[in-house]
Amino acid sequence: MSGRPPVGVLRGGPPGWLAAAPALLVAALFCGYPVAVMVANSFGVGQAPADTGPTLDHYLNAFASSAVRGALIASVIVAGGSVLLTLGIAIPVVLRLARDNRAGRGTVLADALLTLPIALPGIIIGFFAIVLTGRTGLLGLAWDGFSGLAYTLPGLLVAYIYFAIPRVLGPLRGAAETLDPGLADSARTLGASRIRVFCTITLPLLLPAAIEVGGTAMAVALGGYGTVATLSEGVRLLPLNVVNELTTGYRLASSSALAVLLACLSVLALVAGRVLSRTVRKGFLS
Amino acid sequence: MTRIVLAFVVAPILATLVAATSVDFSRGPWGGGFTLDWFAAAWPALAPVIGRSLAVATLVVVLNLCLGGPLAWWVARFPSPATRLTGYLVNVPLAVPGIALSVALIGTYPMLRPSGALLVLGHLVFTLPFTLAALVAALADEELRTNESVARSLGAGNARVLWTITAPTCLIAITQAVTMVFALSFGEFNISFFVNPPATPMAPFALFDAYATQRLEPASAQSLIFIAFVAPVLTAIVLTRRWAPRRTR
Amino acid sequence: MTSPHSPVPSSRGAGLTVHDLTVRYGSTTAAANVSLDVAPAETVAVIGPSGCGKSSTLRAVAGLAPVAEGRITLAGRDITALAAARRNIGLVPQNYAVFPHMSVAGNIGYGLRARRTPEPLRRERVRAMLDLTRLEELADRRPDQLSGGQRQRVALARALAIEPDVLLLDEPLAALDPQLRGGLRRELAAMLSATECATLIVTHDQHEALSLGSRIAILRDGHLVQFDTPQVLWNDPADAFVADFLANALLLDVHRNHDHVLALDGRWRIPLGQLAVRPTGHGVSRLLLRRDSFTVTDTADEAALEAEVTHSEFAGDSVQLTVRAAGTTMSLRVAPDARIGRTVGLSVAGGAATLLSPTA
């Protein structure tokens, strides 16, 4: 944002922040405050029954529980792995789509289909996994190994790739579209092979965007509940534990602690994506 | 590669279609024959739920424009540390997992739960970052600001400038925000699952219920009905995305 | 000036030859049957209005546009079907395409790294290129810290570093500030002559073409109209389009009699004594009129052409007129004291107009 003086201010009218006030109030009341209460709950200083006094027990218990540790690790593997794999798939696809688009070949249908999963709740994606690779899944008819795959770690990984595709492809598509094709052309005339052009020009220029997009997608994937809820009889991920603490006995404090843990992971992924992307962008010259 | 990814995205939908039109899917595709009975059976129960979801999504869109529009205007036109901080804070729901936010909401405002107000407000908070992302960029555009000053110098009042210059110029951004928010609210599961009273379920919750309690075939039919309602919104999202760069190019 | 190049032997087949080149994108033909050649150490300018196919021709030579028909040879090799990476061509694209994630030196050394040139040799070569383009102090800068002119020099140095068989410049000055173009054009000309590399420049700017090209190919609607030295194009244009586009001149078909010529369907009769006569290679008699070829006459003498004034503009030392006569629009420049009404009588200033005659 620039330091330009605001143009188009209602001169002599009410100050600009007044326009923002209602939205800020809603955000503070229904996001800021509840999140603060949730954090307080996790330390035992929130509302009943999580008002037992300041304590770190809920976090210590969480880390002591092997179920929670397992879910945590599985969550990181599934969210991180699916996003990494999606990036590997998405980069060639967005480059291809950008080229087609420049050449005037229509990409509307491909764009529409690749965006589709963003409008589908996670539960439907989980259900897809059941239809295809559940115990009576369609793919199981072709090969027995597919039966029940939905409830395993690799199956969950594939379901999360489905979840991540539109969230990675969409923003990355914009980045690929802004890449100057003249750069790759120039590199080629200078004698670089296609692989060399990809490794030294296209990929480095796309990498900062890819890292940032990856961080955001991983944050979203970590917090995703629907997919794993549908497939809950298989691998356990952390969001299931958060809900479990509430639905079996309303242990608000320990549920809040797990929720805070999950939020921290997401924020970590988000911030790491931004920071790493900036570092890569700056570190190119070395 | 593109084709493989496309197939990967489309295949599950087709498989679900096969399941939804099979008499007995456990006996293979179209096991026991082809039928549309599952759709017919699913629709009467699902229709009011879809209607409720559509109504909530519309309300959330309207609230987004009424509250998010002015907020975006402030962030775009009065750049300062305060707006920058706001930009970050409003994005918090992106980072805080939906279930964590839901847990926090029901813990804090149990009294707002029965009326459904908490659900709408939860959706609003959850979708506001997307409205902001689309509108701030459009409103900060230098050319738009020049055009507004020109209109004002020609004697147009603030309301006229807003209606004749700002809104038409930002039409694509607004459409983008509207479609995205609508799709997100319509498909939102976490808040709907926790916050909403089970007696008046939202569409995604009804699906989840079907997955847990019904056979694969009727569950498939309900999923496809849901997807059919999402598809037009999705088309709008893609079309606005295609129009968007042309304006700036 | 030290040349980084070993002298190129001007053997047969050296340089660039484009023979009957046709470039098609889908169903649209961008260039049709274009033939031209660039001798070693020569600079050829390809000029024409936008959409005339000049960029497509350049891209086809670079291996970036599909060749539908024709043949391209470079330094004795047929490169028509060769991949861009293996043509040994130095391309300077219109926007320079300086790699934003590499330093100036990194950009210049890119082609050498792709060729696996040994490190010491590469370093030496990059240094020589930095020296040639006077970028020594900027070697470690990032492209986003460079001015337009500096980016252009980086792109040029990068293209020259690989010792290309031909250098291709696509609108080399178009991306620069108009006020700076004159100086940068002279600078570019000096660097090009120092490199002794065959060079093909694509431009839409007549000054650039005339000052940089030792020969000029002029294209219109995908077809080559004329390919010759600037002097010939200036003095003996192939048709009215060439005269207008390259020299802002008017070329009229005339009928030559023993002591006068008839122009504009016989409405304008000009005594032969008022015209300079030069031979033409194009077979028909034509009258070449430049802006300064006219004077305004009051008297309705026989040799005057009555023209309707559609626009007049005072320019200090002259008056710029746009006039219409016999369905032809002409731009001309006359003395500031000329009396100008709604119509003017025009005659040829003594010796300032040229009759191009096949029989001089």
Side-chain angles (χ1 to χ4, degrees), chain B residues 58-72 124 128 131 135 173-175 177-178 181:
Chain B
T58 311
L59 185 60
V60 170
V61 164
V62 171
L63 284 174
N64 256 281
L65 290 183
C66 293
L67 296 181
L71 178 62
L124 175 62
L128 210 51
T131 305
L135 291 188
I174 293 171
T175 318
V178 165
V181 166

Side-chain angles (χ1 to χ4, degrees), chain A residues 48-119:
Chain A
D51 52 357
T52 53
T55 173
L56 286 174
D57 284 355
H58 305 298
Y59 287 98
L60 296 176
N61 289 343
F63 282 112
S65 148
S66 63
V68 170
R69 280 203 309 269
L72 188 88
I73 291 166
S75 266
V76 172
I77 289 175
V78 167
S82 65
V83 167
L84 276 180
L85 290 170
T86 307
L87 278 173
I89 298 165
I91 288 173
V93 170
V94 293
L95 290 174
R96 177 62 192 269
L97 286 175
R99 199 165 57 230
D100 284 357
N101 197 24
R102 266 196 297 275
R105 287 189 289 266
T107 57
V108 182
L109 186 66
D111 277 333
L113 289 175
L114 293 175
T115 315
L116 175 72
I118 208 167

Side-chain angles (χ1 to χ4, degrees), chain A residues 4 29 47 116 119 121 123 162 266, chain B residues 9 13 95 107 109 145 187 204 230:
Chain A
R4 206 161 9 79
L29 281 180
Q47 54 201 183
L116 175 72
I123 46 163
Y162 197 95
S266 286
Chain B
V9 170
I13 300 170
Y109 300 106
R145 299 176 63 166
V230 168

